[in-house]
Amino acid sequence: MNDKRLTDPAPSLPQRPRFRLTPMTEEDGRQVCGWLYPEPYDRYRWPAWEQMVRQRKEFADPDIRKAQYLAVRDERGELAGYVQLFALDRAIRLGLGLRPDLCDRGYGKEVTLLAVREAAKRRPWAEIDLEVETWNRRAIRVYEKAGFRAQDEYERQAGHGAVRVLCMVWQGEPENSGVHVE
């Protein structure tokens, strides 16, 4: 009996990329401004790069970019996302963005834990938190899987209007995250 399953090699499975954090460059910022998200996530699109530069807004300002932003790169060195680490009085607040074609592919937890580990390295005594709009169940699930728990809910002003957000605080240990960081 000739069983083809025994002689054919196993199909190769796609490898999950390993991500790493690097300083965010101006070119990275330009790329992020060009990312187009599908509805309803399109509200998270950044303004045009030229507008951001004119307003010295966020990562278009070289000083803010250097102090708060990191690029998330895949194993080929390509820009896969960004992380913002915003220092508050007793906390460090995370901001995260993943390239639109990488969303819904299971990478959010890994990127979130990279941000947590970097935040803990920079300010080991600080609480690590983030804000997420209450309607964004996809992001809330990712953050819960990464060890965040909702602590507060409130309304605040965002670039796209008044929004209801959860403030989620990280409850885990970065050393036990199982995430590869270079």
Side-chain angles (χ1 to χ4, degrees):
M1 174 168 128
N2 184 4
D3 189 344
K4 193 166 175 47
R5 290 176 298 161
L6 297 176
T7 59
D8 285 350
S12 62
L13 298 174
Q15 292 262 335
R16 291 186 66 141
R18 290 191 167 290
F19 298 105
R20 61 190 169 90
L21 299 176
T22 64
M24 183 184 232
T25 66
E26 181 176 319
E27 178 55 33
D28 295 334
R30 286 178 187 274
Q31 284 185 42
V32 170
C33 287
W35 290 351
L36 300 174
Y37 293 96
E39 288 185 9
Y41 306 101
D42 57 336
R43 66 187 69 197
Y44 298 129
R45 182 172 186 196
W46 288 95
W49 176 254
E50 295 75 20
Q51 180 182 346
M52 298 258 299
V53 169
R54 271 194 312 278
Q55 296 174 349
R56 295 188 63 83
K57 185 174 186 172
E58 297 295 335
F59 51 79
D61 179 312
D63 295 329
I64 295 174
R65 184 173 59 243
K66 182 178 179 183
Q68 296 180 22
Y69 284 89
L70 295 164
V72 177
R73 300 204 183 282
D74 66 17
E75 58 195 7
R76 295 176 308 278
E78 293 179 13
L79 183 65
Y82 66 87
V83 167
Q84 180 185 25
L85 303 169
F86 184 75
L88 299 167
D89 186 33
R90 294 183 305 266
I92 188 162
R93 178 154 295 156
L94 304 183
L96 303 148
L98 198 55
R99 203 173 66 216
D101 64 307
L102 297 177
C103 293
D104 277 336
R105 296 181 64 189
Y107 302 134
K109 178 181 174 185
E110 184 176 354
V111 170
T112 301
L113 288 171
L114 277 173
V116 165
R117 291 184 74 182
E118 183 63 25
K121 187 166 68 175
R122 289 184 181 199
R123 297 180 83 191
W125 50 268
E127 180 175 84
I128 300 169
D129 73 11
L130 54 79
E131 292 177 326
V132 58
E133 293 182 31
T134 56
W135 67 267
N136 193 344
R137 299 302 309 159
R138 177 175 80 178
I140 292 168
R141 280 191 306 274
V142 166
Y143 300 144
E144 287 173 341
K145 287 178 187 177
F148 283 84
R149 299 295 172 256
Q151 295 288 335
D152 198 6
E153 183 175 333
Y154 47 89
E155 194 168 293
R156 73 165 178 80
Q157 195 62 34
H160 52 276
V163 295
R164 192 100 186 128
V165 297
L166 290 178
C167 180
M168 299 182 77
V169 177
W170 190 67
Q171 305 292 316
E173 295 293 328
E175 295 78 25
N176 299 327
S177 67
V179 173
H180 174 73
V181 182
E182 293 179 8

